[in-house]
Amino acid sequence: MGATLMDATGLHRTVIRLSHEIGERNKGYSNIVLVGVKKNGGIVAGRIRDYIRDTEGFTLPLAGLDPDAGNNELGFSIDGKTVVLCDDVLYTGKSTVKSVDALFRLGNPKKIQLLVLVDRGGRELPVRADFVGKNAPASKDEYIEVSFEELGAPDCFSIIRRKNET
């Protein structure tokens, strides 16, 4: 077990803060759609959607996106919308670039904003998150271990040192 970055309470507070930041930056929620990257980003987007629905009365469209799949279907149009692309951890930026490319194959959004729970640094591409839950610089020999209640484990983000493989 490594150093805990965010436990269940911290994650809940972070979701609340990020939900409010989305509304503030976009002057409300009326033209927003949420898209979660793969499995974990979908969980993040779902929690954001649920909080906004329960407290603000807006039910935002929500879909998952697999940037490696060629047949993504969102179930709604993103044309002219502000897409908040949600993910758990931002590292090199490669999955974000793939996801943005996949979004443009699906439509013509007005704007794409990136939301991540943890920005660990180490970018290899010029990608910057618009909404960040926590900045947690980690070295290349560390990784961020993520677990979610929805996947059968307690909510937790931890920095774990990689084992040397010799």
Side-chain angles (χ1 to χ4, degrees):
M1 186 63 108
T4 299
L5 296 173
M6 197 180 304
D7 61 9
T9 302
L11 179 56
H12 179 70
R13 287 184 188 138
T14 300
V15 165
I16 291 170
R17 179 175 52 80
L18 293 172
S19 298
H20 287 290
E21 287 180 15
I22 291 168
E24 290 169 8
R25 181 151 320 155
N26 293 292
K27 297 181 174 70
Y29 303 98
S30 62
N31 205 32
I32 306 289
V33 299
L34 299 171
V35 176
V37 179
K38 291 188 182 176
K39 188 179 350 178
N40 287 351
I43 293 169
V44 173
R47 289 188 184 191
I48 297 280
R49 183 220 34 216
D50 292 349
Y51 180 79
I52 292 170
R53 179 195 62 218
D54 295 346
T55 60
E56 303 294 329
F58 286 93
T59 300
L60 300 177
L62 168 68
L65 179 75
D66 181 349
D68 296 319
N71 59 345
N72 284 294
E73 290 287 331
L74 300 178
F76 52 83
S77 173
I78 60 171
D79 292 339
K81 303 287 185 185
T82 295
V83 175
V84 178
L85 183 65
C86 302
D87 210 348
D88 56 350
V89 178
L90 177 58
Y91 181 28
T92 64
K94 291 177 183 178
S95 66
T96 301
V97 170
K98 285 182 182 179
S99 298
V100 168
D101 185 51
L103 285 171
F104 278 114
R105 286 194 305 272
L106 296 170
N108 187 22
K110 176 182 177 186
K111 186 185 323 181
I112 298 173
Q113 297 173 331
L114 178 61
L115 178 146
V116 297
L117 289 180
V118 177
D119 183 346
R120 62 161 287 160
R123 221 73 76 238
E124 295 176 6
L125 298 171
V127 172
R128 174 189 57 82
D130 298 282
F131 307 103
V132 177
K134 183 173 190 72
N135 287 296
S139 69
K140 288 186 179 190
D141 62 340
E142 296 173 318
Y143 67 97
I144 308 292
E145 182 178 77
V146 178
S147 63
F148 287 111
E149 190 176 82
E150 290 88 339
L151 300 176
D155 288 338
C156 188
F157 284 67
S158 301
I159 293 182
I160 307 293
R161 189 155 193 81
R162 295 183 198 276
K163 291 184 169 80
N164 290 336
E165 297 183 26
T166 54

